PDB file of all heavy atoms in Angstrom:
ATOM      1  N   MET N   1      94.633 105.044 100.325  1.00 76.00           N
ATOM      2  CA  MET N   1      94.335 106.287  99.854  1.00 76.00           C
ATOM      3  C   MET N   1      95.247 107.304 100.500  1.00 76.00           C
ATOM      4  O   MET N   1      95.532 107.235 101.650  1.00 76.00           O
ATOM      5  CB  MET N   1      92.861 106.567 100.089  1.00 76.00           C
ATOM      6  CG  MET N   1      92.546 108.030  99.651  1.00 76.00           C
ATOM      7  SD  MET N   1      90.788 108.326  99.714  1.00 76.00           S
ATOM      8  CE  MET N   1      90.499 108.706 101.356  1.00 76.00           C
ATOM      9  N   VAL N   2      95.811 108.217  99.732  1.00 78.00           N
ATOM     10  CA  VAL N   2      96.633 109.272 100.161  1.00 78.00           C
ATOM     11  C   VAL N   2      96.032 110.553  99.676  1.00 78.00           C
ATOM     12  O   VAL N   2      95.758 110.805  98.501  1.00 78.00           O
ATOM     13  CB  VAL N   2      98.057 109.211  99.584  1.00 78.00           C
ATOM     14  CG1 VAL N   2      98.896 110.293 100.089  1.00 78.00           C
ATOM     15  CG2 VAL N   2      98.697 107.796 100.056  1.00 78.00           C
ATOM     16  N   ARG N   3      95.932 111.605 100.630  1.00 78.00           N
ATOM     17  CA  ARG N   3      95.355 112.829 100.369  1.00 78.00           C
ATOM     18  C   ARG N   3      96.346 113.897 100.860  1.00 78.00           C
ATOM     19  O   ARG N   3      96.758 113.816 102.076  1.00 78.00           O
ATOM     20  CB  ARG N   3      94.128 112.995 100.993  1.00 78.00           C
ATOM     21  CG  ARG N   3      93.411 114.321 100.643  1.00 78.00           C
ATOM     22  CD  ARG N   3      92.060 114.483 101.324  1.00 78.00           C
ATOM     23  NE  ARG N   3      91.210 113.377 100.947  1.00 78.00           N
ATOM     24  CZ  ARG N   3      89.916 113.502 100.611  1.00 78.00           C
ATOM     25  NH1 ARG N   3      89.355 114.816 100.740  1.00 78.00           N
ATOM     26  NH2 ARG N   3      89.224 112.579 100.258  1.00 78.00           N
ATOM     27  N   ALA N   4      96.655 114.884  99.969  1.00 77.00           N
ATOM     28  CA  ALA N   4      97.585 115.995 100.342  1.00 77.00           C
ATOM     29  C   ALA N   4      97.061 117.142  99.915  1.00 77.00           C
ATOM     30  O   ALA N   4      96.516 117.180  98.675  1.00 77.00           O
ATOM     31  CB  ALA N   4      98.982 115.633  99.843  1.00 77.00           C
ATOM     32  N   GLY N   5      97.113 118.267 100.563  1.00 76.00           N
ATOM     33  CA  GLY N   5      96.694 119.487 100.066  1.00 76.00           C
ATOM     34  C   GLY N   5      97.312 120.692 100.739  1.00 76.00           C
ATOM     35  O   GLY N   5      97.923 120.587 101.864  1.00 76.00           O
ATOM     36  N   ASN N   6      97.088 121.867 100.183  1.00 79.00           N
ATOM     37  CA  ASN N   6      97.526 123.091 100.767  1.00 79.00           C
ATOM     38  C   ASN N   6      96.813 124.291 100.203  1.00 79.00           C
ATOM     39  O   ASN N   6      95.985 124.063  99.182  1.00 79.00           O
ATOM     40  CB  ASN N   6      99.062 123.277 100.673  1.00 79.00           C
ATOM     41  CG  ASN N   6      99.512 123.350  99.241  1.00 79.00           C
ATOM     42  OD1 ASN N   6      98.734 123.239  98.331  1.00 79.00           O
ATOM     43  ND2 ASN N   6     100.821 123.450  99.130  1.00 79.00           N
ATOM     44  N   ARG N   7      96.962 125.521 100.576  1.00 80.00           N
ATOM     45  CA  ARG N   7      96.337 126.697  99.968  1.00 80.00           C
ATOM     46  C   ARG N   7      96.885 126.795  98.690  1.00 80.00           C
ATOM     47  O   ARG N   7      98.185 126.819  98.310  1.00 80.00           O
ATOM     48  CB  ARG N   7      96.627 127.884 100.837  1.00 80.00           C
ATOM     49  CG  ARG N   7      95.813 127.956 102.027  1.00 80.00           C
ATOM     50  CD  ARG N   7      95.911 129.341 102.644  1.00 80.00           C
ATOM     51  NE  ARG N   7      97.266 129.919 102.521  1.00 80.00           N
ATOM     52  CZ  ARG N   7      97.875 130.414 103.523  1.00 80.00           C
ATOM     53  NH1 ARG N   7      97.349 130.649 104.666  1.00 80.00           N
ATOM     54  NH2 ARG N   7      99.049 131.032 103.357  1.00 80.00           N
ATOM     55  N   ALA N   8      96.070 127.067  97.660  1.00 72.00           N
ATOM     56  CA  ALA N   8      96.501 127.229  96.317  1.00 72.00           C
ATOM     57  C   ALA N   8      97.115 128.694  96.196  1.00 72.00           C
ATOM     58  O   ALA N   8      96.621 129.639  96.863  1.00 72.00           O
ATOM     59  CB  ALA N   8      95.257 127.125  95.384  1.00 72.00           C
ATOM     60  N   ALA N   9      98.003 128.799  95.281  1.00 70.00           N
ATOM     61  CA  ALA N   9      98.587 130.129  95.044  1.00 70.00           C
ATOM     62  C   ALA N   9      97.524 131.009  94.378  1.00 70.00           C
ATOM     63  O   ALA N   9      96.674 130.521  93.651  1.00 70.00           O
ATOM     64  CB  ALA N   9      99.748 130.025  94.084  1.00 70.00           C
ATOM     65  N   ALA N  10      97.662 132.268  94.469  1.00 65.00           N
ATOM     66  CA  ALA N  10      96.679 133.233  93.941  1.00 65.00           C
ATOM     67  C   ALA N  10      96.673 133.075  92.407  1.00 65.00           C
ATOM     68  O   ALA N  10      95.672 133.160  91.785  1.00 65.00           O
ATOM     69  CB  ALA N  10      96.987 134.648  94.319  1.00 65.00           C
ATOM     70  N   GLU N  11      97.754 132.802  91.792  1.00 67.00           N
ATOM     71  CA  GLU N  11      97.836 132.644  90.381  1.00 67.00           C
ATOM     72  C   GLU N  11      98.777 131.408  90.090  1.00 67.00           C
ATOM     73  O   GLU N  11      99.926 131.393  90.544  1.00 67.00           O
ATOM     74  CB  GLU N  11      98.470 133.960  89.829  1.00 67.00           C
ATOM     75  CG  GLU N  11      98.280 134.083  88.337  1.00 67.00           C
ATOM     76  CD  GLU N  11      98.831 135.505  87.950  1.00 67.00           C
ATOM     77  OE1 GLU N  11      98.293 136.430  88.437  1.00 67.00           O
ATOM     78  OE2 GLU N  11      99.819 135.466  87.134  1.00 67.00           O
ATOM     79  N   ALA N  12      98.243 130.526  89.322  1.00 63.00           N
ATOM     80  CA  ALA N  12      99.087 129.292  88.848  1.00 63.00           C
ATOM     81  C   ALA N  12     100.192 129.806  87.933  1.00 63.00           C
ATOM     82  O   ALA N  12     100.017 130.554  87.039  1.00 63.00           O
ATOM     83  CB  ALA N  12      98.250 128.300  88.165  1.00 63.00           C
ATOM     84  N   VAL N  13     101.389 129.293  88.301  1.00 65.00           N
ATOM     85  CA  VAL N  13     102.583 129.666  87.478  1.00 65.00           C
ATOM     86  C   VAL N  13     103.163 128.405  86.933  1.00 65.00           C
ATOM     87  O   VAL N  13     103.494 127.478  87.719  1.00 65.00           O
ATOM     88  CB  VAL N  13     103.566 130.347  88.436  1.00 65.00           C
ATOM     89  CG1 VAL N  13     104.872 130.752  87.548  1.00 65.00           C
ATOM     90  CG2 VAL N  13     103.073 131.582  88.987  1.00 65.00           C
ATOM     91  N   ALA N  14     103.240 128.307  85.647  1.00 65.00           N
ATOM     92  CA  ALA N  14     103.881 127.164  84.966  1.00 65.00           C
ATOM     93  C   ALA N  14     105.361 127.230  85.041  1.00 65.00           C
ATOM     94  O   ALA N  14     105.933 128.368  84.688  1.00 65.00           O
ATOM     95  CB  ALA N  14     103.412 127.099  83.552  1.00 65.00           C
ATOM     96  N   ARG N  15     106.018 126.173  85.481  1.00 68.00           N
ATOM     97  CA  ARG N  15     107.431 126.217  85.549  1.00 68.00           C
ATOM     98  C   ARG N  15     107.977 125.375  84.509  1.00 68.00           C
ATOM     99  O   ARG N  15     107.638 124.167  84.323  1.00 68.00           O
ATOM    100  CB  ARG N  15     107.995 125.671  86.966  1.00 68.00           C
ATOM    101  CG  ARG N  15     107.580 126.550  88.064  1.00 68.00           C
ATOM    102  CD  ARG N  15     108.054 125.964  89.343  1.00 68.00           C
ATOM    103  NE  ARG N  15     107.884 124.610  89.346  1.00 68.00           N
ATOM    104  CZ  ARG N  15     107.825 123.758  90.361  1.00 68.00           C
ATOM    105  NH1 ARG N  15     108.042 124.323  91.481  1.00 68.00           N
ATOM    106  NH2 ARG N  15     107.723 122.509  90.354  1.00 68.00           N
ATOM    107  N   PRO N  16     108.943 125.861  83.653  1.00 68.00           N
ATOM    108  CA  PRO N  16     109.488 125.035  82.586  1.00 68.00           C
ATOM    109  C   PRO N  16     110.205 123.872  83.098  1.00 68.00           C
ATOM    110  O   PRO N  16     111.012 123.953  84.084  1.00 68.00           O
ATOM    111  CB  PRO N  16     110.437 126.009  81.849  1.00 68.00           C
ATOM    112  CG  PRO N  16     110.246 127.344  82.487  1.00 68.00           C
ATOM    113  CD  PRO N  16     109.460 127.237  83.691  1.00 68.00           C
ATOM    114  N   GLY N  17     109.958 122.766  82.571  1.00 65.00           N
ATOM    115  CA  GLY N  17     110.739 121.535  82.997  1.00 65.00           C
ATOM    116  C   GLY N  17     110.190 120.801  84.117  1.00 65.00           C
ATOM    117  O   GLY N  17     110.438 119.746  84.555  1.00 65.00           O
ATOM    118  N   ALA N  18     109.136 121.408  84.823  1.00 65.00           N
ATOM    119  CA  ALA N  18     108.544 120.756  86.028  1.00 65.00           C
ATOM    120  C   ALA N  18     107.617 119.650  85.511  1.00 65.00           C
ATOM    121  O   ALA N  18     106.868 119.707  84.601  1.00 65.00           O
ATOM    122  CB  ALA N  18     107.722 121.826  86.796  1.00 65.00           C
ATOM    123  N   SER N  19     107.824 118.497  86.197  1.00 68.00           N
ATOM    124  CA  SER N  19     107.022 117.293  85.843  1.00 68.00           C
ATOM    125  C   SER N  19     106.628 116.421  87.010  1.00 68.00           C
ATOM    126  O   SER N  19     106.372 115.347  86.932  1.00 68.00           O
ATOM    127  CB  SER N  19     107.838 116.408  84.906  1.00 68.00           C
ATOM    128  OG  SER N  19     109.058 115.981  85.500  1.00 68.00           O
ATOM    129  N   GLY N  20     106.588 117.092  88.267  1.00 75.00           N
ATOM    130  CA  GLY N  20     106.371 116.409  89.401  1.00 75.00           C
ATOM    131  C   GLY N  20     104.973 115.766  89.480  1.00 75.00           C
ATOM    132  O   GLY N  20     104.810 114.478  89.718  1.00 75.00           O
ATOM    133  N   LEU N  21     103.923 116.347  89.097  1.00 76.00           N
ATOM    134  CA  LEU N  21     102.507 115.866  89.139  1.00 76.00           C
ATOM    135  C   LEU N  21     102.404 114.808  87.973  1.00 76.00           C
ATOM    136  O   LEU N  21     101.842 113.728  88.299  1.00 76.00           O
ATOM    137  CB  LEU N  21     101.447 116.865  88.981  1.00 76.00           C
ATOM    138  CG  LEU N  21     101.285 117.830  90.204  1.00 76.00           C
ATOM    139  CD1 LEU N  21     100.281 118.893  89.824  1.00 76.00           C
ATOM    140  CD2 LEU N  21     100.821 116.968  91.518  1.00 76.00           C
ATOM    141  N   GLU N  22     102.937 114.992  86.877  1.00 81.00           N
ATOM    142  CA  GLU N  22     102.806 114.027  85.803  1.00 81.00           C
ATOM    143  C   GLU N  22     103.568 112.877  86.145  1.00 81.00           C
ATOM    144  O   GLU N  22     103.159 111.681  85.975  1.00 81.00           O
ATOM    145  CB  GLU N  22     103.373 114.638  84.496  1.00 81.00           C
ATOM    146  CG  GLU N  22     103.145 113.724  83.343  1.00 81.00           C
ATOM    147  CD  GLU N  22     101.679 113.399  83.113  1.00 81.00           C
ATOM    148  OE1 GLU N  22     100.748 114.170  83.311  1.00 81.00           O
ATOM    149  OE2 GLU N  22     101.511 112.200  82.691  1.00 81.00           O
ATOM    150  N   ALA N  23     104.803 112.957  86.710  1.00 80.00           N
ATOM    151  CA  ALA N  23     105.626 111.765  87.155  1.00 80.00           C
ATOM    152  C   ALA N  23     104.904 111.018  88.266  1.00 80.00           C
ATOM    153  O   ALA N  23     104.850 109.756  88.251  1.00 80.00           O
ATOM    154  CB  ALA N  23     106.995 112.274  87.588  1.00 80.00           C
ATOM    155  N   LEU N  24     104.274 111.770  89.163  1.00 81.00           N
ATOM    156  CA  LEU N  24     103.502 111.058  90.263  1.00 81.00           C
ATOM    157  C   LEU N  24     102.243 110.361  89.691  1.00 81.00           C
ATOM    158  O   LEU N  24     101.982 109.132  90.044  1.00 81.00           O
ATOM    159  CB  LEU N  24     103.084 112.138  91.304  1.00 81.00           C
ATOM    160  CG  LEU N  24     102.315 111.573  92.572  1.00 81.00           C
ATOM    161  CD1 LEU N  24     103.133 110.599  93.279  1.00 81.00           C
ATOM    162  CD2 LEU N  24     101.934 112.742  93.392  1.00 81.00           C
ATOM    163  N   ARG N  25     101.630 110.955  88.711  1.00 82.00           N
ATOM    164  CA  ARG N  25     100.432 110.307  88.096  1.00 82.00           C
ATOM    165  C   ARG N  25     100.946 108.986  87.460  1.00 82.00           C
ATOM    166  O   ARG N  25     100.261 107.931  87.535  1.00 82.00           O
ATOM    167  CB  ARG N  25      99.748 111.177  87.039  1.00 82.00           C
ATOM    168  CG  ARG N  25      98.525 110.509  86.397  1.00 82.00           C
ATOM    169  CD  ARG N  25      97.851 111.469  85.396  1.00 82.00           C
ATOM    170  NE  ARG N  25      97.556 112.813  85.950  1.00 82.00           N
ATOM    171  CZ  ARG N  25      96.443 113.143  86.628  1.00 82.00           C
ATOM    172  NH1 ARG N  25      95.594 112.168  86.922  1.00 82.00           N
ATOM    173  NH2 ARG N  25      96.286 114.369  87.053  1.00 82.00           N
ATOM    174  N   GLN N  26     102.048 109.012  86.734  1.00 85.00           N
ATOM    175  CA  GLN N  26     102.568 107.830  86.055  1.00 85.00           C
ATOM    176  C   GLN N  26     102.853 106.715  87.109  1.00 85.00           C
ATOM    177  O   GLN N  26     102.609 105.505  86.778  1.00 85.00           O
ATOM    178  CB  GLN N  26     103.802 108.159  85.199  1.00 85.00           C
ATOM    179  CG  GLN N  26     103.516 108.954  83.983  1.00 85.00           C
ATOM    180  CD  GLN N  26     104.714 109.336  83.257  1.00 85.00           C
ATOM    181  OE1 GLN N  26     105.814 109.025  83.640  1.00 85.00           O
ATOM    182  NE2 GLN N  26     104.502 110.080  82.167  1.00 85.00           N
ATOM    183  N   LEU N  27     103.431 107.045  88.169  1.00 83.00           N
ATOM    184  CA  LEU N  27     103.738 106.040  89.132  1.00 83.00           C
ATOM    185  C   LEU N  27     102.490 105.429  89.809  1.00 83.00           C
ATOM    186  O   LEU N  27     102.331 104.205  89.847  1.00 83.00           O
ATOM    187  CB  LEU N  27     104.639 106.752  90.359  1.00 83.00           C
ATOM    188  CG  LEU N  27     106.035 106.929  89.974  1.00 83.00           C
ATOM    189  CD1 LEU N  27     106.694 107.631  91.146  1.00 83.00           C
ATOM    190  CD2 LEU N  27     106.683 105.584  89.866  1.00 83.00           C
ATOM    191  N   VAL N  28     101.447 106.268  90.185  1.00 81.00           N
ATOM    192  CA  VAL N  28     100.293 105.849  90.665  1.00 81.00           C
ATOM    193  C   VAL N  28      99.426 104.861  89.735  1.00 81.00           C
ATOM    194  O   VAL N  28      99.030 103.860  90.082  1.00 81.00           O
ATOM    195  CB  VAL N  28      99.418 106.993  91.200  1.00 81.00           C
ATOM    196  CG1 VAL N  28      98.029 106.510  91.604  1.00 81.00           C
ATOM    197  CG2 VAL N  28     100.105 107.692  92.351  1.00 81.00           C
ATOM    198  N   GLU N  29      99.345 105.386  88.556  1.00 85.00           N
ATOM    199  CA  GLU N  29      98.571 104.657  87.484  1.00 85.00           C
ATOM    200  C   GLU N  29      99.304 103.439  87.099  1.00 85.00           C
ATOM    201  O   GLU N  29      98.716 102.415  86.680  1.00 85.00           O
ATOM    202  CB  GLU N  29      98.245 105.560  86.326  1.00 85.00           C
ATOM    203  CG  GLU N  29      97.195 106.547  86.661  1.00 85.00           C
ATOM    204  CD  GLU N  29      96.918 107.600  85.486  1.00 85.00           C
ATOM    205  OE1 GLU N  29      97.542 107.536  84.485  1.00 85.00           O
ATOM    206  OE2 GLU N  29      96.095 108.464  85.754  1.00 85.00           O
ATOM    207  N   GLY N  30     100.713 103.433  87.084  1.00 81.00           N
ATOM    208  CA  GLY N  30     101.502 102.273  86.802  1.00 81.00           C
ATOM    209  C   GLY N  30     101.271 101.179  87.779  1.00 81.00           C
ATOM    210  O   GLY N  30     101.522  99.965  87.479  1.00 81.00           O
ATOM    211  N   SER N  31     100.837 101.528  88.964  1.00 79.00           N
ATOM    212  CA  SER N  31     100.680 100.530  90.066  1.00 79.00           C
ATOM    213  C   SER N  31      99.176 100.091  90.154  1.00 79.00           C
ATOM    214  O   SER N  31      98.818  99.381  91.030  1.00 79.00           O
ATOM    215  CB  SER N  31     101.204 100.993  91.358  1.00 79.00           C
ATOM    216  OG  SER N  31     100.403 102.112  91.769  1.00 79.00           O
ATOM    217  N   GLY N  32      98.406 100.572  89.181  1.00 81.00           N
ATOM    218  CA  GLY N  32      96.993 100.177  89.227  1.00 81.00           C
ATOM    219  C   GLY N  32      96.093 101.124  89.983  1.00 81.00           C
ATOM    220  O   GLY N  32      94.952 100.742  90.139  1.00 81.00           O
ATOM    221  N   GLY N  33      96.620 102.186  90.296  1.00 85.00           N
ATOM    222  CA  GLY N  33      95.819 103.211  91.079  1.00 85.00           C
ATOM    223  C   GLY N  33      95.307 104.323  90.311  1.00 85.00           C
ATOM    224  O   GLY N  33      95.421 104.380  89.042  1.00 85.00           O
ATOM    225  N   THR N  34      94.705 105.241  91.027  1.00 88.00           N
ATOM    226  CA  THR N  34      94.127 106.453  90.291  1.00 88.00           C
ATOM    227  C   THR N  34      94.590 107.631  91.116  1.00 88.00           C
ATOM    228  O   THR N  34      94.884 107.696  92.226  1.00 88.00           O
ATOM    229  CB  THR N  34      92.580 106.474  90.235  1.00 88.00           C
ATOM    230  OG1 THR N  34      92.088 106.480  91.647  1.00 88.00           O
ATOM    231  CG2 THR N  34      92.151 105.293  89.446  1.00 88.00           C
ATOM    232  N   MET N  35      94.511 108.905  90.359  1.00 86.00           N
ATOM    233  CA  MET N  35      94.993 110.064  90.966  1.00 86.00           C
ATOM    234  C   MET N  35      94.085 111.233  90.434  1.00 86.00           C
ATOM    235  O   MET N  35      93.708 111.363  89.293  1.00 86.00           O
ATOM    236  CB  MET N  35      96.468 110.527  90.607  1.00 86.00           C
ATOM    237  CG  MET N  35      96.964 111.613  91.314  1.00 86.00           C
ATOM    238  SD  MET N  35      98.757 111.824  91.056  1.00 86.00           S
ATOM    239  CE  MET N  35      98.828 113.411  90.352  1.00 86.00           C
TER     240      MET N  35
END
């Protein structure tokens, strides 16, 4: 199990082209894990 966290920004800002969390989710789920 891996846990990572930090203070959340006051307002969520969507960045065009950003896919970090989605790419991470695909890697974790592709190995049989959950996120």
Side-chain angles (χ1 to χ4, degrees):
M1 177 171 78
V2 176
R3 181 181 300 224
N6 61 0
R7 282 193 321 228
E11 199 176 295
V13 177
R15 294 181 319 200
S19 63
L21 289 176
E22 185 57 37
L24 182 59
R25 182 180 305 278
Q26 288 174 3
L27 283 172
V28 170
E29 290 176 356
S31 66
T34 61
M35 184 172 123

